[in-house]
Amino acid sequence: MKKLTARIASDTGLLILAGLVVLGALSLLFGWIVNDSWSVNQNQYSIETGQTPLRPLNAETPVRQRIPGITGQVTDVTFIADLQGRPAGDVTLAIMQGDSTLAVMEMPLDGVSNGGALTFRPDEPIAADGDLTLGITVRQTAGDASFSLRYGDAAEMERYDDTMRNPGGLTVAGSTVEGQLAVTLRYASPSGAMLLYWIAVGVLAAAWIAVVLLYKRNRRLQRVTFLWVLMEETRRYKYLISQLVLRDFNHKYRQSVLGVLWSFLNPLLTMTVQYLVFSYLFHNAIENFPVYLMTGIVFFNFFNEASTLAMQSVTGNAGLIKKVYMPRYIYPLSKVLFALLNVTITLIPLFVMILITGVPVTRAALLLPLPLLGIACFALGLGMILATMNVFFRDTAFLWNIVVLLWTYMTPLFYPESIIPASWLRFYHLNPMYQFIYFIRCILLQGVTPQPRTYLICLLYAAVPLLLGFLVFRKKQNDFIYYL
Amino acid sequence: MAQEVMIRVNDLGVSYRMDLNKNTNLKEWVIHALKRQNQYRIFWALRHVSFEVYRGEVLGVIGHNGAGKSTLLKVISGILKPTEGDVQRGGRIVPMLELGSGFDMDLTGRENIYLNGAILGYTKAQLDERRDAIIAYSELGDFINMPLKTYSSGMLSRLAFSIASVIEPEVLIVDEILAVGDESFQKKSRARMMELMSGGTTVLYVSHNIGQIREMCRRVLWLEHGEIQRYGDVTGVCDAYQKGI
């Protein structure tokens, strides 16, 4: 094996070929995973929190709701309906654009559940381009049932910004009602993401060839390049890093009777406690609450553990740092790797939970290493900055505890995102942990890959802090010894 | 005779920025920064130090407390970055660790051989090969499979010495710890040092024990207040040093 890698590394042609084969295999695998959801944009127009029932509706009170700016293929429309009494008759949904009616759908009233979702799904997706109007008419053949739709009234709509508030959009029997129907409209629009993806793969392949050729031609480049130094150091300190991780691992598990079992039990127990506490509050708003909770707990804990251990890694190894030379970044790095090992173990109870609750596992779950690595890079970058601060100011550790606590509440771990006012969402989404956990829930709970935008954001949130942390750490690492 | 230079120290200088307030937390630092009281003084721990050490040589380093001996060793092993001048190294430098640092008290002696060996820069293959020799040399017997917290301090230092010396390092740094274990182990460790030196290992040896220095070294570096007081043949430097006391 070693001989083979050495032979490949020494031969320019073989090296290029090997790189292209690896790149090709990985990009095909990734393309296969994301193809279904990236070739179309799955969009959703949604006002989810309608709590108030509109007055009971009948044939004389047709409801019209304007939905602004829909371009694409409408696949389904969902309302929230209340139905009391003995139903007979039907409810009709007409989808209109300007003066033309695009589709009319009928549903018998006895299929409607009280306080539940009322979904209209056309046989063929409806092509829409512009503002849509949804017209709902109820026709009762026997008179003693009361049917109404939920809407968000003026007070509730305060949470949304102007485009979502859509003033004047809702009329009942021709007169305007302030507020909006609780409606979710899903539509697909064509996407160029896959094309961009294959172009990017092509660019990467070309870049690989260029880099290898440049490298092999220029001996001096080989000596000074950052990448070469990094590779050399990793090769040299690989064994040391593995020993340091092994030490932490033994430490954690040797002293306890249950050993590794704790890593299984811990997230399960935390999940159970939080489930008991929060299920009354948020149960209905979140699909598959146990798995939702557990993904939040497991991956936020990973971030917490990795960043905190990395922060303490330099001060905690003061004795060694004063006596033996090794690159200082090894200390935070080994701690983050240890946390990565731990979270990998806790994936087992997570997947058990996923199987028990019957969430379908799709091929998107294969993407899980990506957000995990993303969180690891983010935590390492942050941890290096914190470790540096902690050398000079030992109260960093206490401050960090408070920050993590605040961070826990700023991230939707045990509550649904929908309780956050829409006008705050812009800032709320800046939280890197929100993006990573959103990514993970997409692939584990929904079973789809996130949109390319999320990949870019996560990449940014992994790379920028890592680079920043690395620079801060490198600038200050020679002063550590005076303060330890 | 042209000898291979293992360590070349060129006009070395190390300065500390002494923080007069000794801020150790953010609160104090902010308060002092606001009051504009964050003052520093520059202190030179080493200055204008130049010398060379050849392959297989044992260089003694002597001097009073605070003369800069430990700082010099730290710069040579790469732990401290020099403020001026530089150090060229011809091989890997292995420090003989003080008691405990680098050891993990909860792991067994055997596991610590690998952990400590990795910290000292050895590869897994090297450690696998020499493991049994290290265990035999440390005279720990069955204790090797017990956690380190059950060891006596003599046993710990025997293990530390064995790990650092059984695998032949190119440059070994010994800071005051040859007085290890009981008398018979001391004799054994001294013999091992001699063996290493004749085998080509370069040793930097710091001690206050002038008798030992005279016995082990050919040349001696005498540091005082961060500068070289005298540097040369062992007898001359040691005589002068002892006269000065």
Side-chain angles (χ1 to χ4, degrees), chain A residues 37-284:
Chain A
S37 47
W38 276 15
S39 41
V40 287
N41 272 330
Q42 291 294 344
N43 308 304
Q44 180 170 317
Y45 175 92
S46 177
I47 303 278
E48 289 162 333
T49 55
Q51 297 296 330
T52 329
L54 262 180
R55 61 188 154 103
L57 304 172
N58 53 42
E60 274 74 56
T61 51
V63 178
R64 285 181 176 231
Q65 169 72 58
R66 188 182 66 209
I67 310 282
I70 303 293
T71 307
Q73 305 282 323
V74 177
T75 50
D76 56 73
V77 183
T78 302
F79 303 93
I80 301 175
D82 290 292
L83 183 70
Q84 267 126 24
R86 205 154 38 82
D90 45 46
V91 51
T92 311
L93 169 70
I95 300 180
M96 292 160 283
Q97 182 179 333
D99 295 331
S100 59
T101 302
L102 301 178
V104 178
M105 283 164 275
E106 256 184 24
M107 184 174 296
L109 273 178
D110 52 4
V112 177
S113 67
N114 186 26
L118 169 64
T119 302
F120 292 92
R121 203 169 273 123
D123 301 333
E124 292 279 306
I126 301 159
D129 184 16
D131 291 1
L132 292 185
T133 305
L134 306 178
I136 301 119
T137 317
V138 185
R139 205 170 44 81
Q140 297 198 41
T141 46
D144 58 350
S146 139
F147 173 88
S148 65
L149 292 171
R150 295 275 182 92
Y151 81 120
D153 58 19
E156 260 178 61
M157 296 312 292
E158 288 294 305
R159 292 185 40 238
Y160 290 94
D161 61 15
D162 212 45
T163 40
M164 291 303 276
R165 219 177 288 149
N166 190 13
L170 175 61
T171 60
V172 179
S175 56
T176 306
V177 175
E178 215 171 309
Q180 277 236 67
L181 275 187
V183 60
T184 303
L185 183 141
R186 265 193 268 270
Y187 60 104
S189 52
S191 160
M194 277 320 275
L195 184 67
L196 277 178
Y197 170 68
W198 288 114
I199 291 174
V201 170
V203 169
L204 268 179
W208 169 250
I209 295 173
V211 164
V212 170
L213 288 180
L214 219 66
Y215 238 57
K216 289 283 174 183
R217 291 270 166 79
N218 194 336
R219 290 257 157 232
R220 254 190 42 222
L221 199 69
Q222 290 180 19
R223 295 272 145 196
V224 293
T225 321
F226 169 76
L227 210 65
W228 192 85
V229 174
L230 202 73
M231 268 163 53
E232 184 66 8
E233 289 221 319
T234 326
R235 196 180 57 77
R236 207 155 123 203
Y237 292 104
K238 202 170 55 186
Y239 180 58
L240 171 60
I241 294 173
S242 72
Q243 279 293 317
L244 289 173
V245 173
L246 193 68
R247 172 185 70 169
D248 288 335
F249 193 78
N250 278 328
H251 248 255
K252 179 160 181 182
Y253 295 112
R254 185 162 301 174
Q255 304 275 320
S256 62
V257 190
L258 290 177
V260 180
L261 211 58
W262 274 122
S263 279
F264 293 2
L265 284 178
N266 207 10
L268 280 173
L269 292 175
T270 320
M271 189 272 292
T272 312
V273 171
Q274 294 203 355
Y275 183 79
L276 291 176
V277 175
F278 294 115
S279 58
Y280 279 102
L281 283 175
F282 305 121
H283 191 195
N284 290 324

Side-chain angles (χ1 to χ4, degrees), chain B residues 4-204:
Chain B
E4 190 187 345
V5 177
M6 287 304 280
I7 300 172
R8 176 178 285 132
V9 175
N10 272 332
D11 191 32
L12 193 70
V14 174
S15 69
Y16 294 76
R17 202 167 65 157
M18 281 217 307
D19 180 352
L20 294 179
N21 295 321
K22 275 281 157 214
N23 299 327
T24 54
N25 63 44
L26 199 58
K27 183 189 75 185
E28 286 174 24
W29 185 83
V30 169
I31 290 173
H32 287 130
L34 288 175
K35 290 183 176 169
R36 295 179 186 284
Q37 278 178 351
N38 276 331
Q39 292 166 355
Y40 303 100
R41 209 180 63 199
I42 301 294
F43 171 77
W44 287 92
L46 280 181
R47 196 140 207 205
H48 307 309
V49 174
S50 307
F51 62 92
E52 283 168 359
V53 189
Y54 303 102
R55 178 180 286 281
E57 188 187 14
V58 184
L59 179 74
V61 182
I62 57 174
H64 293 101
N65 287 332
K69 302 187 295 290
S70 297
T71 308
L72 177 65
L73 295 192
K74 278 179 184 158
V75 176
I76 290 175
S77 52
I79 298 165
L80 266 181
K81 263 244 150 48
T83 319
E84 47 179 53
D86 59 40
V87 177
Q88 289 156 20
R89 307 171 184 89
R92 222 208 13 257
I93 294 177
V94 172
M96 195 168 288
L97 294 181
E98 276 172 12
L99 283 188
S101 56
F103 275 151
D104 191 293
M105 291 297 159
D106 288 322
L107 301 186
T108 66
R110 194 183 294 271
E111 288 165 330
N112 265 295
I113 291 177
Y114 284 94
L115 175 62
N116 212 301
I119 287 171
L120 294 180
Y122 296 117
T123 62
K124 180 160 175 11
Q126 279 173 315
L127 289 168
D128 281 339
E129 191 190 325
R130 306 295 177 91
R131 184 190 57 210
D132 295 330
I134 294 173
I135 296 173
Y137 195 84
S138 64
E139 300 173 1
L140 283 167
D142 289 340
F143 267 98
I144 201 69
N145 293 320
M146 300 282 282
L148 244 55
K149 55 188 170 196
T150 62
Y151 284 27
S152 72
S153 56
M155 290 159 81
L156 278 178
S157 35
R158 260 157 41 206
L159 184 61
F161 181 83
S162 309
I163 295 171
S165 65
V166 167
I167 301 169
E168 276 132 33
E170 288 172 295
V171 180
L172 184 65
I173 291 185
V174 185
D175 193 351
E176 279 294 8
I177 54 159
L178 263 197
V180 154
D182 55 19
E183 206 163 318
S184 72
F185 193 81
Q186 276 186 37
K187 211 176 271 173
K188 196 170 146 186
S189 59
R190 207 164 307 155
R192 174 66 189 155
M193 293 292 290
M194 293 297 190
E195 202 182 313
L196 282 178
M197 287 165 228
S198 59
T201 297
T202 310
V203 182
L204 281 176

Side-chain angles (χ1 to χ4, degrees), chain B residues 192-233:
Chain B
R192 174 66 189 155
M193 293 292 290
M194 293 297 190
E195 202 182 313
L196 282 178
M197 287 165 228
S198 59
T201 297
T202 310
V203 182
L204 281 176
Y205 183 42
V206 174
S207 181
H208 287 291
N209 187 334
I210 299 299
Q212 257 182 23
I213 295 266
R214 281 180 195 271
E215 186 187 329
M216 317 228 348
C217 314
R218 270 204 6 248
R219 289 196 303 154
V220 172
L221 180 75
W222 174 12
L223 285 176
E224 215 56 74
H225 304 299
E227 293 184 25
I228 295 182
Q229 184 85 3
R230 276 188 81 157
Y231 170 48
D233 189 63

Side-chain angles (χ1 to χ4, degrees), chain A residues 352-387:
Chain A
V352 167
M353 204 66 204
I354 285 177
L355 291 179
I356 288 176
T357 52
V359 184
V361 177
T362 65
R363 56 192 178 194
L366 291 174
L367 295 169
L368 193 58
L370 296 180
L372 268 183
L373 274 182
I375 298 177
C377 290
F378 176 58
L380 180 59
L382 211 60
M384 288 207 274
I385 295 175
L386 290 167

